[in-house]
Amino acid sequence: MLDIGPLHRSEYEMDTSERVVIAEAPGRLIFLGEHGENKAGFFLSAAINRTIQVAVSQRKDNSIRFFAAGLGERKRTTLVNLKYKREDRWANYIKLAIYIFAKLGRPAKGLNFTVIGDIPQQAELASSTAIEVASTVALKSFFKVSLTDKELLCLLVKAESEFFGKEEVSSVDYLVALNAKKDQLLLVDEKNEEVARIKSPFNRYKMLLMDSRVPRAGVDEELKQRRKDIQAGLELLEKKRPGSSFRDYVPADLLESMGDLREEIRRRSLHIVEENQRIREVADALKKGDMEEIGRIIYHSHESLRDLYEVSCPEIDWLVKRAQEIEGVAASRMTGRGFGGCTYTILKENAQEEFCKRLEDYERIFGFHPLVYDIRPATGARVIAKG
């Protein structure tokens, strides 16, 4: 990745005496739990060693300028006109951070921003969240505002709702970006906004993220229907236990309570309940470094996404199945919204050659050229320069 400091100073014709603050925030990978109950789910996640960096400096006028160095694109606005604009794309995520500090009484003058990153796009690795968090952390340092991570989290969630007009905002990606540590996995409880860190047992393994490149038309409508099915299942269960959530049930409860409800609703609900149970189980396996058990849980999770929640596809299932057949592969699973997208595979280094051969078969059979990224658990958001 290019050095953002000199790029920023050159873009805005700054001399070395002028102050620039640079912050970075990571992308994230979800291992388990991404299709859980809204605002009450459990997740196994980690920040990854792909980041967004944001540099900020003061202007003498009231203009706000944005420069995406990797894209060679420039945008501009003012504090008076600070609002979401579809055509501003990536700059909207920096504007959200400015919106937060404008609500706190800053800034008084204009600002210059430069953004650069190496998080793969369209791979559902939370690149937009990384821009928001890196910008917010940079501005917090630039304005010397005292805020705890919990306060920052609340401000980010609130701003996401207000600035983008969203009814429902998940705190999970913000929690990961703010709490991640190098070589640690994160168990995230979205309901209580709690994060438990567990040392990664994958140090002797490689983690490969594979983008299937499968086109995904109509995904949003399919996922909306899944959410409706989940809500219908929970409403039925709540008749016996008012105020409960899926985390309060075990699989046997669904057999007792579902009655004559549609089979799809039973399957979707069963996936949520069993996935919660898998995440509880994987915590113990991770602490013990039991790779065989970890692999079993991850494979079962993929099977559940395929058979119960039904968000996989033949190409993704093929990739996971072929990976599972290779000696030295500990686990493989789809990640993200599904209907294409990515898989992650945890494997020993001597298994990588065979894994890549299978990808050649994949391209020949399905006609899509997959992209592979070497990733590992990394640290969270931080300021990297204040000069």
Side-chain angles (χ1 to χ4, degrees), residues 262-272 307-310:
R262 289 201 328 266
E263 176 62 17
E264 305 96 278
I265 293 176
R266 187 194 70 81
R267 290 201 305 270
R268 312 295 187 242
S269 301
L270 184 59
H271 167 75
I272 304 299
D307 300 334
L308 298 180
Y309 208 68
E310 297 182 286

Side-chain angles (χ1 to χ4, degrees), residues 343-373:
T343 68
Y344 66 85
T345 300
I346 302 166
L347 72 171
K348 291 185 176 177
E349 190 162 358
N350 60 12
Q352 185 169 352
E353 183 178 353
E354 181 61 27
F355 178 81
C356 291
K357 285 181 182 178
R358 301 296 175 98
L359 295 186
E360 292 175 8
D361 292 338
Y362 169 83
E363 185 170 2
R364 178 176 52 80
I365 294 168
F366 295 105
F368 303 121
H369 178 66
L371 300 177
V372 182
Y373 305 96

Side-chain angles (χ1 to χ4, degrees), residues 29 48-50 125 206-209 344 373-377:
L29 178 70
I48 60 172
N49 57 319
R50 298 294 187 113
L125 299 176
K206 298 195 75 170
M207 288 199 304
L208 300 179
L209 181 78
Y344 66 85
Y373 305 96
D374 195 336
I375 59 175
R376 61 181 181 275

Side-chain angles (χ1 to χ4, degrees), residues 40-252:
F42 295 111
F43 298 78
L44 176 65
S45 187
I48 60 172
N49 57 319
R50 298 294 187 113
T51 65
I52 296 290
Q53 292 183 353
V54 173
V56 59
S57 61
Q58 193 80 64
R59 292 182 62 83
K60 293 180 174 64
D61 58 22
N62 292 324
S63 180
I64 300 175
R65 306 289 179 94
F66 309 96
F67 173 46
L71 300 174
E73 291 184 2
R74 294 163 179 84
K75 308 285 184 181
R76 66 170 64 187
T77 189
T78 62
L79 280 174
V80 175
N81 295 310
L82 189 68
K83 60 184 177 182
Y84 170 79
K85 290 183 180 179
R86 185 175 182 179
E87 63 269 24
D88 283 348
R89 299 174 16 256
W90 51 270
N92 286 308
Y93 304 116
I94 305 176
K95 286 194 280 185
L96 177 140
I98 303 169
Y99 175 86
I100 288 173
F101 288 92
K103 288 277 190 177
L104 297 175
R106 299 179 174 122
K109 284 186 175 291
L111 297 165
N112 291 322
F113 290 90
T114 299
V115 59
I116 195 168
D118 61 0
I119 301 175
Q121 300 300 295
Q122 310 302 318
E124 298 181 351
L125 299 176
S127 59
S128 58
T129 298
I131 298 175
E132 293 175 0
V133 175
S135 302
T136 304
V137 170
L139 286 172
K140 174 190 170 187
S141 176
F142 188 79
F143 292 130
K144 300 179 181 178
V145 177
S146 179
L147 292 169
T148 66
D149 282 351
K150 189 168 184 60
E151 289 169 334
L152 211 58
L153 173 70
C154 292
L155 290 169
L156 282 161
V157 170
K158 185 179 181 184
E160 181 84 7
S161 175
E162 293 175 351
F163 190 76
F164 290 111
K166 294 182 179 179
E167 292 183 9
E168 296 181 349
V169 177
S170 172
S171 62
V172 174
D173 289 346
Y174 296 130
L175 284 165
V176 172
L178 294 171
N179 287 278
K181 298 291 183 185
K182 184 180 178 182
D183 295 327
Q184 294 192 344
L185 307 182
L186 305 177
L187 288 167
V188 181
D189 179 343
E190 185 180 14
K191 182 177 182 179
N192 298 309
E193 294 187 339
E194 294 176 348
V195 176
R197 300 188 189 98
I198 300 177
K199 184 172 176 58
S200 171
F202 304 149
N203 291 340
R204 292 180 293 108
Y205 293 79
K206 298 195 75 170
M207 288 199 304
L208 300 179
L209 181 78
M210 205 288 302
D211 186 344
S212 69
R213 309 299 285 175
V214 174
R216 296 194 288 180
V219 172
D220 290 341
E221 287 304 312
E222 288 285 352
L223 292 175
K224 281 180 185 177
Q225 186 57 53
R226 300 296 185 280
R227 306 308 300 181
K228 288 178 182 177
D229 290 344
I230 289 173
Q231 188 58 39
L234 185 58
E235 286 172 1
L236 181 67
L237 291 169
E238 282 183 312
K239 289 180 180 179
K240 291 188 177 181
R241 298 187 206 172
S244 61
S245 66
F246 279 115
R247 63 173 59 204
D248 302 315
Y249 298 93
V250 296

